[in-house]
Amino acid sequence: MKKNARQIALDVLNDIFGNDAYANISLDRNLRDSELSPVDKNFVTALVYGVVSKKALLEWHIAPFLKKQPKPWAKMLLLLTVDQILFMDKVPTSAAVDEAVKIAKRHDGQATANFINAVLRNFMRSDHRNEEPKDWETKYSMPKLLLDKMVRQFGGKRTGEILESLEVPSHVSLRKVDPNVIVADSRPSVLTESALIADSGNFAATAAFKAGQITIQDESSQLVAPLLEIAGGENILDACAAPGGKTTHMAQYLTTGHITALDLYDHKLELIRQNAERLHVADKITTQNADATQIFETFGEEKFDRILVDAPCSGIGLIRRKPDIRYRKESSDFLNLQEIQLEILASASKSLKKSGIMVYSTCTIFDEENFDVVHKFLETHPDFEQVEISHEKSNLIKEGCIFITPELYHTDGFFVAKFKKN
């Protein structure tokens, strides 16, 4: 039997919370195998990310009406339906409830269908649906570990601003490969000349994307390539390159120079090659399966003019676009990642030529993986100095580094530091 949009969304949600699947991977797999229209595929995506980003809040809304604990799939069906009722203006409540009852009946018979129907009817009749929890952990569905870390680092006021900003859907950010390209329904970024912003749209299906005139890349990450001061002939190492957004951006600055792009996984290296082909810079990039913590052992001493370490990190800055990230963190993760980040920088530093430039970036907002890494690297590498970064938007500069939190410009959270080898 052909699955409709809500059934597929329920399958994906049960995969995420029942099997610990990654949201984007499960969505891709389930949508690829479906016969849904593009509009319905977008609806499934909105349903899944809506529940993932509001799970604690939805559970709070439904809790008073559960006289018994439903099976996990049935509870997820309730959350899926309450999300439509409360937060999707274009979805009629009657359609959401009717479809939930049908799914429950198909899945487990009339008794479960009656239970789902009764819970949803009681919820709709109650004033509780118009109330709001007072604690941020529930209101923003943010796990206590991350919430506490945010408050410690940013204070209550800014944490509230960050959390509120994450409630607003991400916009689409494009990089102009052809500087003269005109893209309908987009506007210039205030952060970098290379970026265009759009409120929505499937730009991967446009002729400009297929022709390699534009690519999809967050505007904050587009700040990285210019910092490497590429004149054209440099030998560059991109130590953690996949999927290749920054790699191909750096390649745009090259004439006779070349980039070696590393990753641990062949399927990710293939993504870099595909991106490079589409953007017409494949002749400037060589991919290589290698461990970034073994750069010196692989390439030897002082081989590269420029090195980019876009380090593996907790990815907390990406929560708006990847809301399931919030459920995958343990307190030990942050320090473990810091050790790996320092190990990569230490190995890369030996393969950088004297007077060479090394840029370190992450897509997280926590100090352990950002400023603490910079301080510890400089303490143990006296042959390196920090190069202070400047930008006309002074509020994204802190301690000579770029540090963007999501509420400032509605971008991903991002960090960039720059070093020079003496």
Side-chain angles (χ1 to χ4, degrees), residues 57 60-65 82 85-86 119-134:
L57 176 62
W60 179 85
H61 272 295
I62 210 72
F65 311 101
V82 171
I85 294 169
L86 290 179
V119 171
L120 291 173
R121 301 288 173 190
N122 288 336
F123 164 72
M124 288 187 294
R125 281 194 290 265
S126 168
D127 289 338
H128 182 62
R129 62 180 292 185
N130 301 317
E131 296 173 1
E132 191 175 81
K134 291 185 169 45

Side-chain angles (χ1 to χ4, degrees), residues 5-265:
R6 290 182 176 86
Q7 180 63 64
I8 291 175
L10 181 62
D11 291 346
V12 174
L13 287 166
N14 285 326
D15 199 21
I16 295 168
F17 292 106
N19 303 322
D20 205 25
Y22 285 91
N24 60 331
I25 293 173
S26 184
L27 259 174
D28 287 346
R29 183 174 62 250
N30 280 276
L31 291 179
R32 190 172 55 242
D33 296 339
S34 78
E35 298 177 12
L36 296 181
S37 68
V39 171
D40 280 344
K41 287 182 177 179
N42 289 339
F43 181 46
V44 172
T45 302
L47 288 171
V48 168
Y49 283 127
V51 173
V52 171
S53 61
K54 298 184 181 69
K55 183 169 180 281
L57 176 62
L58 296 169
E59 288 173 335
W60 179 85
H61 272 295
I62 210 72
F65 311 101
L66 296 178
K67 304 305 179 193
K68 63 176 182 180
Q69 275 305 313
K71 295 175 182 174
W73 71 267
K75 182 178 177 183
M76 199 56 66
L77 178 59
L78 288 168
L79 301 185
L80 180 70
T81 310
V82 171
D83 181 53
Q84 295 167 68
I85 294 169
L86 290 179
F87 300 109
M88 292 190 165
D89 295 338
K90 293 180 180 177
V91 178
T93 295
S94 58
V97 174
D98 290 348
E99 188 57 40
V101 172
K102 288 177 186 172
I103 289 173
K105 186 175 181 180
R106 282 199 301 270
H107 203 288
D108 207 24
Q110 189 61 51
T112 302
N114 292 343
F115 167 76
I116 293 289
N117 188 50
V119 171
L120 291 173
R121 301 288 173 190
N122 288 336
F123 164 72
M124 288 187 294
R125 281 194 290 265
S126 168
D127 289 338
H128 182 62
R129 62 180 292 185
N130 301 317
E131 296 173 1
E132 191 175 81
K134 291 185 169 45
D135 67 289
W136 285 356
E137 194 177 343
T138 306
K139 181 179 178 181
Y140 297 108
S141 297
M142 189 60 69
K144 189 172 187 306
L145 167 69
L146 298 183
L147 188 57
D148 289 348
K149 281 179 69 64
M150 285 187 191
V151 172
R152 278 198 301 273
Q153 182 170 325
F154 299 105
K157 181 175 181 294
R158 191 169 177 189
T159 295
E161 292 168 353
I162 292 171
L163 293 170
E164 196 63 35
S165 81
L166 296 176
E167 298 289 292
V168 181
S170 59
H171 53 219
V172 182
S173 182
L174 308 170
R175 173 162 59 84
K176 292 183 290 183
V177 179
D178 176 353
N180 299 314
V181 69
I182 297 174
V183 181
D185 301 321
S186 68
R187 58 189 181 277
S189 163
V190 299
L191 295 185
T192 173
E193 287 184 10
S194 62
L196 294 172
I197 305 302
D199 293 328
S200 62
N202 181 13
F203 290 88
T206 63
F209 181 88
K210 292 173 183 173
Q213 294 174 298
I214 59 170
T215 193
I216 296 170
Q217 183 180 355
D218 193 80
E219 54 189 319
S220 57
S221 83
Q222 294 180 46
L223 295 166
V224 172
L227 294 173
L228 284 139
E229 300 180 26
I230 301 169
E234 288 85 355
N235 185 24
I236 300 172
L237 178 71
D238 190 346
C240 313
K246 299 178 193 69
T247 319
T248 53
H249 194 186
M250 289 189 291
Q252 277 188 251
Y253 292 89
L254 290 176
T255 51
T256 58
H258 199 81
I259 298 174
T260 302
L262 307 186
D263 200 90
L264 279 172
Y265 302 102

Side-chain angles (χ1 to χ4, degrees), residues 243-297:
K246 299 178 193 69
T247 319
T248 53
H249 194 186
M250 289 189 291
Q252 277 188 251
Y253 292 89
L254 290 176
T255 51
T256 58
H258 199 81
I259 298 174
T260 302
L262 307 186
D263 200 90
L264 279 172
Y265 302 102
D266 288 337
H267 69 281
K268 291 188 174 182
L269 293 172
E270 180 57 27
L271 287 177
I272 301 171
R273 290 191 286 270
Q274 289 172 3
N275 271 322
E277 287 286 347
R278 183 175 60 80
L279 299 173
H280 314 295
V281 290
D283 60 326
K284 297 182 174 65
I285 298 169
T286 300
T287 59
Q288 185 168 335
N289 185 317
D291 183 344
T293 64
Q294 301 294 310
I295 289 170
F296 174 67
E297 289 78 358

